[in-house]
Amino acid sequence: MRTVTHRRVVVTGMGGVSNLGPTAVTTWSAMKSGRSGISPLRSFPQSEDWTVRFAGEIHDFNPSGVVDGREQKRIDRVALFAMVAADEAVRDSGYDFRNAADPYRNGTIIGSGIGGVLTMEEGHTKLLQTGPRRVSPFVVPRLMVNAAPGNVSIQFNLRGPSTAMASACASSGHAVGTAMQLIQRGDCDVMLAGGAEAAITPLTLSAFASMKALSTRNDDPQRASRPFDRDRDGFVLSEGSAILVLEELEHAKRRGARIYAEVVGYGATGDAHHIAAPDEHGSGAFKAMEVALRDAETNASEVGYINAHGTSTPQGDRAEVTAVKRLFGDHVYRLAMSSTKSMTGHALGAAGGLESIAAIMAIYEGVLAPTINLDNPDEGFDLNFVPHVAQEAKVDVTLNNTFGFGGHNVSLVFRRFA
Amino acid sequence: MSASPTDSEVEAKVIEAIADQLGVAKADVSRASEFDAICDSLDKAELMMEFEDLFEISITDEAASKLKTVADAIEFIQRTLSGGQ
């Protein structure tokens, strides 16, 4: 049990950019319809040497309207994603951050697994081609992993805590969880929290491919991300951003804000096992969910839906299913668990943000987004994974799991606001 | 050996490069514009690289620090191209 009382935190705004749509609204709509955002790679040329020739790229991304042309040249794609997502989230919340009475009460935490790696690669190429005196002075402010929160803090005059989270694919989860705690403690009133990633680059794609972490289903990209399916062969690298507006309950009520859901639990653990491989029993994942539910003062039997980490890797999915079955016991057959990565691919540090939107909207709209491509569930995978098509269900408590290389496990708990 | 560009040719290229870099209209940049007023130190550093590429010259950090206005830059470039330095 908790030994201290704390303030309540609610979600009052959401924004996103993904390969399913240029906004959180269009992304969620596409998730409900079970559409894939995966396509053959366009952003750089590939020879037959490349074992992976597809990804979850965002095509025709245009930040104009949020960031002017001059600023765009100074900011990497990853932070531009975050700024566009933050803009939507802020407009959605209806809260005037820029003219806040006390801007030191507002802050931001935005996670990214890799940061501005596109800038890093281009800068390094320039260095090799033209020498050290031609390296752009914008390389550092573009590539640093905290460029997203730095730019978003400027965008919305956020003068409270402003920082990045870097825990690979768990970055968004840590960001949202920590932001929730800052508000609970009373350090802040409103936080922009989430993640961003733009790492579909030659170096990153080839490096993940060398790890054998990626699906090589080049002949059928839209069927490549197939979490929990027996024919899954790795994840699909994707990109994007999602930002939530987390707000102290009384602050939200005073201004008559729309409340999507309450953020009630955060559990974080480390596997202390292997730098990239999951613990096959999912012990760390199990504990993260257990801690999150305890933090939420919620029984496992109240959980109606889990947005799984479910990346479509053979070992990772098995570890997660093992952990979930162990934690929920018989209740596991009464809840639903889907992986929206089946549609978006794996946006690494942005994944938890995008998937929190699905976990929140499951409560708010009563729709569970599906796991597409789940033709043949793997042996022992006997849960309701919401195969192929969305399901309608009234759920009051949902979880969002994110696990990252480095052995980072995060589970967030959302509850219907009442 | 090709002839050096005229002062007005240098001016046109410099102003175009500045306007492009800063995302402003060329009409908003004049010889009298001060770098400190129209851009920050990172923009200025990038602009010096742009001038080096554009005119195939070298601008040392010391020389760059003395260029306060657009006119200073134009005159420096012109002088360098005509072998004055």
Side-chain angles (χ1 to χ4, degrees):
Chain A
M1 276 317 249
R2 214 181 269 128
T3 53
V4 290
T5 56
H6 57 57
R7 310 191 311 161
R8 294 171 69 182
V9 183
V10 290
V11 180
T12 57
M14 296 189 279
V17 180
S18 79
N19 50 41
L20 294 176
T23 61
V25 172
T26 49
T27 295
W28 170 239
S29 177
M31 281 181 179
K32 286 188 289 184
S33 65
R35 188 160 66 75
S36 170
I38 311 304
S39 56
L41 196 87
R42 286 193 206 168
S43 60
F44 56 90
Q46 292 182 300
S47 66
E48 288 296 312
D49 281 347
W50 290 81
T51 53
V52 178
R53 298 187 294 279
F54 60 98
E57 290 171 302
I58 296 173
H59 302 303
D60 310 319
F61 172 65
N62 183 5
S64 301
V66 174
V67 186
D68 72 33
R70 175 189 178 183
E71 283 297 309
Q72 282 178 34
K73 289 166 66 174
R74 306 170 61 129
I75 303 172
D76 186 273
R77 183 173 173 88
V78 64
L80 290 172
F81 283 161
M83 293 173 81
V84 168
D87 181 73
E88 183 193 5
V90 166
R91 280 187 287 109
D92 188 42
S93 76
Y95 178 53
D96 187 0
F97 285 82
R98 290 189 182 94
N99 295 302
D102 183 358
Y104 292 94
R105 302 291 301 168
N106 303 332
T108 182
I109 305 180
I110 300 174
S112 183
I114 307 185
V117 66
L118 198 60
T119 293
M120 180 117 49
E121 288 181 41
E122 287 171 354
H124 187 250
T125 300
K126 181 95 175 162
L127 169 67
L128 296 181
Q129 287 173 346
T130 60
R133 294 194 67 246
R134 283 292 188 282
V135 173
S136 167
F138 295 116
V139 166
V140 169
R142 284 172 58 108
L143 72 78
M144 57 194 196
V145 76
N146 55 309
N151 280 295
V152 168
S153 72
I154 296 165
Q155 190 183 7
F156 293 108
N157 191 32
L158 312 173
R159 301 192 181 206
S162 169
T163 190
M165 280 287 170
S167 48
C169 313
S171 302
S172 277
H174 279 117
V176 172
T178 305
M180 174 195 81
Q181 291 180 331
L182 285 171
I183 299 171
Q184 286 180 335
R185 282 167 47 89
D187 295 356
C188 304
D189 293 327
V190 194
M191 294 289 290
L192 296 182
E197 203 74 73
I200 305 176
T201 67
L203 181 66
T204 312
L205 187 74
S206 56
F208 277 122
S210 292
M211 296 176 83
K212 311 294 179 203
L214 300 178
S215 169
T216 57
R217 196 181 285 261
N218 291 301
D219 57 344
D220 199 0
Q222 299 214 331
R223 312 261 300 153
S225 186
R226 42 194 318 117
F228 314 120
D229 189 86
R230 72 178 182 206
D231 296 320
R232 67 191 185 280
D233 70 331
F235 74 81
V236 178
L237 186 60
S238 80
E239 60 181 355
S241 176
I243 304 287
L244 308 178
V245 178
L246 303 188
E247 187 166 357
E248 191 273 322
L249 176 60
E250 297 307 319
H251 190 281
K253 279 180 168 172
R254 273 198 300 278
R255 63 183 193 86
R258 174 200 37 217
I259 294 170
Y260 286 106
E262 186 170 357
V263 201
V264 288
Y266 168 45
T269 62
D271 281 344
H273 164 68
H274 185 279
I275 200 64
D279 168 357
E280 65 176 315
H281 304 295
S283 308
F286 171 89
K287 194 72 183 173
M289 289 186 279
E290 187 184 62
V291 170
L293 287 170
R294 193 168 62 220
D295 187 41
E297 298 182 329
T298 296
N299 291 320
S301 61
E302 294 175 68
V303 175
Y305 170 71
I306 301 169
N307 188 294
H309 187 57
T311 60
S312 185
T313 62
Q315 307 92 323
D317 289 5
R318 181 158 294 283
E320 186 170 13
V321 170
T322 301
V324 166
K325 288 178 89 163
R326 185 176 148 218
L327 181 67
F328 288 93
D330 287 345
H331 180 68
V332 84
Y333 299 107
R334 290 189 290 276
L335 57 73
M337 176 163 93
S338 71
S339 172
T340 42
K341 285 190 184 76
S342 58
M343 298 173 277
T344 61
H346 190 357
L348 310 181
L354 289 166
E355 292 153 21
S356 284
I357 291 173
I360 291 163
M361 292 307 282
I363 295 170
Y364 193 69
E365 277 191 0
V367 178
L368 313 181
T371 305
I372 66 167
N373 298 324
L374 181 51
D375 298 330
N376 299 292
D378 204 350
E379 194 181 341
F381 287 18
D382 52 358
L383 283 63
N384 173 10
F385 291 110
V386 196
H388 305 298
V389 292
Q391 295 174 6
E392 289 188 12
K394 182 177 182 294
V395 291
D396 295 324
V397 178
T398 63
L399 256 61
N400 174 225
N401 285 340
T402 46
F403 312 133
F405 284 173
H408 312 282
N409 310 292
V410 176
S411 192
L412 298 170
V413 185
F414 301 97
R415 183 191 283 145
R416 179 181 302 280
F417 173 68
Chain B
M1 190 177 146
S2 64
S4 299
T6 65
D7 194 56
S8 64
E9 283 168 349
V10 171
E11 177 175 325
K13 281 172 116 173
V14 164
I15 288 179
E16 185 173 353
I18 295 171
D20 185 53
Q21 166 77 19
L22 304 182
V24 298
K26 280 189 275 189
D28 294 336
V29 183
S30 71
R31 292 180 69 97
S33 300
E34 290 180 23
F35 288 112
D36 283 353
I38 60 175
C39 65
D40 65 18
S41 61
L42 300 183
D43 278 319
K44 190 181 173 191
E46 183 120 311
L47 275 173
M48 294 303 139
M49 288 184 201
E50 185 65 24
F51 296 156
E52 288 184 322
D53 285 346
L54 213 50
F55 298 104
E56 296 179 351
I57 59 171
S58 173
I59 307 175
T60 64
D61 291 348
E62 194 196 348
S65 70
K66 291 176 184 158
L67 307 180
K68 305 293 184 196
T69 66
V70 172
D72 292 344
I74 293 166
E75 284 156 22
F76 174 85
I77 292 163
Q78 187 62 49
R79 219 165 40 237
T80 306
L81 290 173
S82 58
Q85 277 197 335

